[in-house]
């Protein structure tokens, strides 16, 4: 089968080169060789040196040339692909978004810390940080009970499971809030005592500390964003760099002001209680 295909292919090539088939049966290969040399010279010499040894050699030479031609064409396409211009990504929006996310996380942490501070008024968030040990496992109080406000001075703690009432009472008494709950049926009632002057001063100091901590977190996020922009400044127009830096500064001022407002409101709540 392979021999038949090679002969057919050879016949096709000879017909293209206008070579009579009778030349193949010649006892001397010289006339055929000379004829092929002339023809290949006419077509650019792409088949030169491939014809000694008869028609089988001719087929192999043509096959090899066609494979090399295909390989060269593939390489040229690869070369064209390698000239593609790489466009640098715009890091401005990403840096700004990352900074905003970090600043928002700092504000969430601030709100959580301030909710732990006791004031003279009852609020459900006062007990959120309390951890209760139940059956050897430590879980947040808010996961096993519902806390509600009965009035400005009284909290109600209703457990999902009445069997955890004693564990809840123990955890509340052990907290630094200074509360002494009493059992009222299947719930606990906790009266929030009025703060002393010393207690108010101590709470205000904690608020100030929380304010400074969150501002440091906000400034760290700001500095990280500016460093990112600075590293990429070589690929960003100077006007865009200045614009991004200005936007980061404005974002920082906005979050710092929000932190100040939240802390001032907390101090007012503590002092007025």
């Amino acid at each position: 089968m392979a021999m038949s295909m090679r002969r057919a292919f050879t016949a096709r090539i000879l017909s293209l080169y206008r070579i009579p088939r009778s030349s193949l049966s010649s006892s001397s290969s010289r006339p055929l060789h000379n004829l092929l040399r002339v023809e290949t010279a006419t077509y650019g010499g792409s088949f030169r040196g491939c014809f000694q040894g008869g028609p089988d050699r001719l087929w192999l030479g043509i096959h090899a040339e066609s494979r090399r031609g295909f390989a060269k064409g593939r390489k040229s396409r690869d070369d064209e692909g390698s000239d593609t211009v790489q466009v640098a990504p715009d890091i401005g929006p990403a840096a700004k978004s990352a900074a905003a996310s970090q600043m928002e996380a700092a504000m969430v942490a601030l709100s959580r810390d301030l909710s732990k501070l006791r004031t003279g008024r009852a609020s459900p968030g006062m007990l959120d940080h309390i951890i209760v040990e139940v059956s050897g496992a430590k879980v947040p109080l808010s996961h096993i009970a519902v806390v509600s406000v009965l009035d400005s001075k009284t909290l109600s703690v209703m457990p999902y499971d009445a069997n955890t009432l004693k564990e809840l009472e123990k955890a509340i008494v052990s907290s630094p809030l200074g509360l002494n709950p009493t059992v009222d049926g299947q719930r606990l009632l906790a009266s929030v005592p009025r703060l002393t002057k010393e207690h108010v001063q101590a709470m205000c100091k904690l608020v100030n500390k929380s304010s400074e901590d969150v501002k440091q977190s906000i400034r760290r996020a700001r500095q990280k964003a500016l460093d990112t922009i600075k590293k990429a400044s070589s690929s960003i127009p100077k006007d865009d760099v200045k614009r991004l830096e200005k936007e980061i500064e404005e974002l920082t001022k906005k979050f710092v002001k929000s932190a100040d407002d939240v802390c001032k409101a907390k101090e007012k709540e503590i002092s007025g209680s």
Side-chain angles (χ1 to χ4, degrees):
M1 181 65 180
M3 181 63 72
S4 299
M5 291 180 65
R6 285 200 296 271
R7 289 176 178 174
F9 188 76
T10 301
R12 176 61 178 166
I13 295 300
L14 293 176
S15 66
L16 291 175
Y17 277 84
R18 299 181 177 85
I19 300 174
R21 293 181 59 87
S22 60
S23 299
L24 294 177
S25 61
S26 174
S27 58
S28 174
S29 62
R30 187 64 181 176
L32 176 60
H33 178 74
N34 290 337
L35 181 59
L36 291 174
R37 182 182 299 278
V38 173
E39 293 296 332
T40 53
T42 303
Y43 284 86
S46 60
F47 300 111
R48 192 186 304 277
C50 299
F51 311 106
Q52 295 182 4
D56 289 343
R57 180 73 178 197
L58 172 64
W59 183 86
L60 293 173
I62 295 172
H63 181 66
E65 287 295 326
S66 65
R67 286 180 62 85
R68 284 197 290 271
F70 175 78
K72 290 180 180 179
R74 180 175 55 190
K75 182 177 180 181
S76 64
R77 289 194 295 271
D78 291 341
D79 291 340
E80 291 175 0
S82 64
D83 293 336
T84 303
V85 178
Q86 298 294 331
V87 179
D90 187 0
I91 56 91
K96 183 178 177 181
S97 177
S101 297
Q102 294 170 11
M103 293 177 185
E104 289 174 357
M107 290 298 299
V108 170
L110 174 65
S111 299
R112 184 173 59 249
D113 291 341
L114 294 182
S115 67
K116 299 176 184 179
L117 301 179
R118 182 170 73 85
T119 65
R121 297 179 61 85
S123 64
M126 290 176 60
L127 308 182
D128 285 349
H129 66 286
I130 295 179
I131 301 299
V132 184
E133 185 172 354
V134 180
S135 301
K138 295 182 178 181
V139 295
L141 183 145
S142 57
H143 288 187
I144 62 173
V146 176
V147 180
S148 58
V149 176
L150 296 183
D151 54 54
S152 61
K153 297 292 183 180
T154 309
L155 287 174
S156 170
V157 181
M158 178 68 71
Y160 296 125
D161 182 358
N163 294 326
T164 62
L165 199 62
K166 291 184 178 180
E167 287 81 357
L168 284 168
E169 181 181 7
K170 180 180 178 180
I172 294 173
V173 172
S174 301
S175 72
L177 295 176
L179 302 179
N180 291 297
T182 58
V183 177
D184 180 33
Q186 294 184 345
R187 67 176 181 177
L188 296 175
L189 297 180
S191 297
V192 180
R194 185 179 182 84
L195 297 178
T196 63
K197 184 178 180 179
E198 291 76 13
H199 201 166
V200 169
Q201 292 176 349
M203 292 296 103
C204 288
K205 287 182 179 180
L206 290 176
V207 172
N208 290 332
K209 184 180 183 303
S210 296
S211 176
E212 290 302 320
D213 290 343
V214 72
K215 288 177 183 177
Q216 288 181 9
S217 298
I218 292 172
R219 294 188 182 106
R220 281 195 296 269
R222 162 188 168 273
Q223 189 59 49
K224 186 175 181 180
L226 293 178
D227 290 344
T228 300
I229 295 172
K230 185 177 180 180
K231 290 179 181 179
S233 60
S234 59
S235 60
I236 303 176
K238 291 183 178 180
D239 291 342
D240 290 344
V241 172
K242 291 181 179 180
R243 175 181 57 80
L244 288 171
E245 290 177 345
K246 183 178 179 181
E247 290 177 356
I248 295 297
E249 292 294 345
E250 291 175 351
L251 189 67
T252 302
K253 291 179 181 179
K254 173 185 175 181
F255 276 94
V256 168
K257 184 178 183 302
S258 296
D260 283 334
D261 292 343
V262 170
C263 290
K264 286 179 180 178
K266 190 66 176 181
E267 285 185 358
K268 184 177 180 181
E269 180 183 354
I270 292 173
S271 300
S273 57

